[in-house]
Amino acid sequence: MGPVRESIVKGVVAPMRDVPKSIQRPPYVGAKRAARWTGGDIHDAETVERIRVSARIAAQALAEVGRHVRPGITTDELDRIGHEFVLDHGAYPSTLGYPGAAGRPPFPKALCTSVNEVICHGIPDSTVVQEGDIVKVDITAYKDGMHGDNCGSFIAGEGSEAATRLVEVAHEAMMRGVRAAMPGREVNVIGRVIEKYAARFGYESVRSYTGHGVGPAFHTGLVIPHYDAAPHHDDVIEPGMVFTVEPMLVDGSEANHEWDDGWTVVTNDGGWVAQFEHTILIGEDGPEVLTLP
């Protein structure tokens, strides 16, 4: 079977869902921009334990939303499921109210739903998921001052051979990137491994959106490219670091543009995209995945 729809178009975005006052909000909610993190990327054991809690909630939320990806459901309904799951676990959905670029509105939903050629930051709306769609769900939980971030790609119903292979390769690319994150190496080794693996299948790895340091801030400033960026991005990987590995692989060209909503990013040529993301902790002996349910 081939792609079931020609392209994704904007749907209707429903109003922001409520969050009880009892749930702690990240400091950027209601601000014009997120404050720049200056605390570094190496965290003590107590901080790491708090990140673990948020990462586990995010992973459980992703699994719950993923179970509901099927033809006929709207992406806004997927958002409702994720929103309620995170709240039920005493956490705040980190993307809800996250400040946009200058002059752009804050992100209005609890998670991103990026379908087919949408690379990332798709806003849940009235779009109805169709048979064979690749739905990328990116959800982050904030609890006790810490964020845990992850993403998965789910095929609605039965996917085409091309879509299935893209999703499988994207997952393996992420895991190869994770395994490459050994203490003493530069972070650019992660992207080198990912890009080389993707190229074996004729896929391009998106360059304009990256992994990032995460924990006390949603984005700490540490950048993890998913392509061979050497000699740039030469930060040395050290024990105690926490960051995301989140490659976006394209069956086509990675050239892209942003919709005028200030968030949604799509491929220029309509090539479909799969993405996976884990939050990882660097230990003395190597990486540990924190976003496991």
Side-chain angles (χ1 to χ4, degrees):
M1 58 179 280
V4 292
R5 63 163 113 216
E6 289 189 6
S7 62
I8 297 298
V9 295
K10 274 189 225 175
V12 177
V13 179
M16 277 193 183
R17 292 186 164 86
D18 292 334
V19 176
K21 286 188 168 59
S22 58
I23 290 185
Q24 180 192 18
R25 276 111 168 115
Y28 53 72
V29 173
K32 287 188 175 178
R33 61 183 58 86
R36 187 166 167 267
W37 171 250
T38 57
D41 285 284
I42 298 171
H43 306 298
D44 61 29
E46 187 270 338
T47 300
V48 167
E49 288 311 304
R50 287 192 285 151
I51 298 172
R52 281 185 192 281
V53 173
S54 297
R56 187 174 300 117
I57 293 170
Q60 291 170 344
L62 179 63
E64 179 64 19
V65 176
R67 277 193 285 273
H68 289 83
V69 172
R70 63 178 184 273
I73 197 168
T74 65
T75 55
D76 189 64
E77 177 66 7
L78 295 175
D79 177 76
R80 183 194 64 77
I81 292 164
H83 182 100
E84 292 181 0
F85 186 96
V86 172
L87 298 189
D88 286 348
H89 288 76
Y92 183 93
S94 302
T95 59
L96 186 66
Y98 188 81
R104 300 295 174 91
F107 196 83
K109 294 292 173 179
L111 49 82
C112 303
T113 47
S114 304
V115 182
N116 300 344
E117 74 271 19
V118 180
I119 293 176
C120 59
H121 305 161
I123 299 172
D125 59 17
S126 59
T127 298
V128 177
V129 175
Q130 295 184 13
E131 180 77 24
D133 282 347
I134 297 176
V135 182
K136 297 170 288 292
V137 176
D138 192 332
I139 188 164
T140 305
Y142 176 79
K143 187 171 185 176
D144 197 14
M146 300 295 151
H147 300 267
D149 187 6
N150 64 170
C151 176
S153 292
F154 305 93
I155 296 178
E158 189 174 336
S160 67
E161 189 177 327
T164 301
R165 185 179 73 158
L166 178 61
V167 167
E168 289 173 350
V169 172
H171 184 267
E172 177 61 18
M174 172 189 66
M175 292 310 302
R176 287 179 181 230
V178 168
R179 291 194 293 268
M182 298 295 289
R185 292 176 169 175
E186 295 179 357
V187 297
N188 56 39
V189 72
I190 297 168
R192 189 174 314 132
V193 166
I194 287 168
E195 189 172 48
K196 277 188 174 178
Y197 184 70
R200 284 167 47 182
F201 300 87
Y203 302 144
E204 292 194 0
S205 182
V206 173
R207 293 179 167 228
S208 18
Y209 298 89
T210 69
H212 51 91
V214 68
F218 196 168
H219 305 93
T220 66
L222 176 66
V223 173
I224 311 294
H226 303 116
Y227 65 97
D228 188 353
H232 305 294
H233 298 289
D234 58 354
D235 303 84
V236 175
I237 299 169
E238 298 181 63
M241 278 185 166
V242 178
F243 54 81
T244 70
V245 177
E246 49 178 302
M248 306 152 205
L249 300 191
V250 186
D251 192 359
S253 167
E254 66 96 24
N256 60 78
H257 63 279
E258 189 178 84
W259 284 357
D260 62 7
D261 62 12
W263 290 104
T264 309
V265 181
V266 298
T267 59
N268 290 350
D269 65 4
W272 283 23
V273 182
Q275 180 190 17
F276 286 88
E277 173 186 17
H278 272 318
T279 293
I280 67 172
L281 163 70
I282 305 302
E284 297 289 342
D285 302 318
E288 177 191 350
V289 174
L290 299 184
T291 36
L292 294 175

